Amino acid sequence: MNNYIESLNWRYATKKYDASKKVSDKDLETLKDAVRLSVSSVGLQPYKVFIIGDTDIRKQLIEAAGGNNKNIIADSSYLFVFANEVNPGDTEVENYVKNIGETRGIEPENLKGFSDYISGFLKGLTPEQKNAWTIKQTYIALSTLVNSAAVLKIDTTAMEGFNAEEFNKILGFDKLGLNAAVIAAIGYRHEEDANQHLKKVRKPKEELFVTI
């Protein structure tokens, strides 16, 4: 656990990447495993994660990013785009429950109660509430990526400063029922990034936590 805390202290929102250094295929697969195992409400995982390495697509996405995010996307190894499902329903629930049955060797009829529970929950949400809920799920997965990368000493930058509508068009999300919720670059910090030398600023424990 001490190593984990040290990793969290080591990481920061990297502002300048070293384009000459590339995250290895092995480490990328480890990060994919970590994100796949991330916490998700009822286990549904109502999102998809796109990992952008293609130069041409990245150039298009750079134009849809804001401010310094353009340089971050350009110089990092990969860009993760967390896309929430806009309107998950019976199909997504059926696929999830089928996966549970096949993975755990459970007959479909024995999962009907759980399936009905999830379907009822989703049907009780307005489209706006459903979209907000699925977006929240992507942020949990994002946190898993950022913290897991820190353990591997891989730098990350989570970003909300981008034009989601343009990302959706470029990546074809509009036709897939998806929405670009949040993005994150991964790679290695440039030695000229001055932010790496700054002390981490967080609320003290006595201010942040309330034990009752």
Side-chain angles (χ1 to χ4, degrees), residues 63-126:
E63 295 306 312
N68 187 57
N69 290 346
K70 295 179 183 291
N71 295 325
I72 290 173
I73 294 174
D75 295 334
S76 59
S77 294
Y78 293 98
L79 179 70
F80 278 64
V81 180
F82 294 83
N84 65 297
E85 294 176 353
V86 176
N87 190 35
D90 290 340
T91 299
E92 287 73 24
V93 174
E94 289 171 6
N95 290 338
Y96 172 45
V97 172
K98 180 182 178 182
N99 190 14
I100 294 176
E102 293 176 349
T103 301
R104 297 177 177 172
I106 303 174
E107 294 299 321
E109 57 267 24
N110 294 327
L111 291 168
K112 188 177 185 304
F114 185 52
S115 177
D116 290 345
Y117 165 73
I118 300 175
S119 293
F121 165 70
L122 292 175
K123 290 175 182 177
L125 301 177
T126 65

Side-chain angles (χ1 to χ4, degrees), residues 4-37:
Y4 181 64
I5 298 300
E6 289 174 4
S7 296
L8 295 184
N9 275 310
W10 171 86
R11 69 148 299 276
Y12 71 104
T14 304
K15 299 302 182 184
K16 184 176 177 60
Y17 283 87
D18 187 339
S20 69
K21 297 180 180 179
K22 187 78 176 286
V23 172
S24 70
D25 292 342
K26 179 181 178 181
D27 283 345
L28 181 61
E29 288 302 313
T30 299
L31 292 177
K32 288 163 67 176
D33 284 338
V35 172
R36 188 179 70 86
L37 295 170

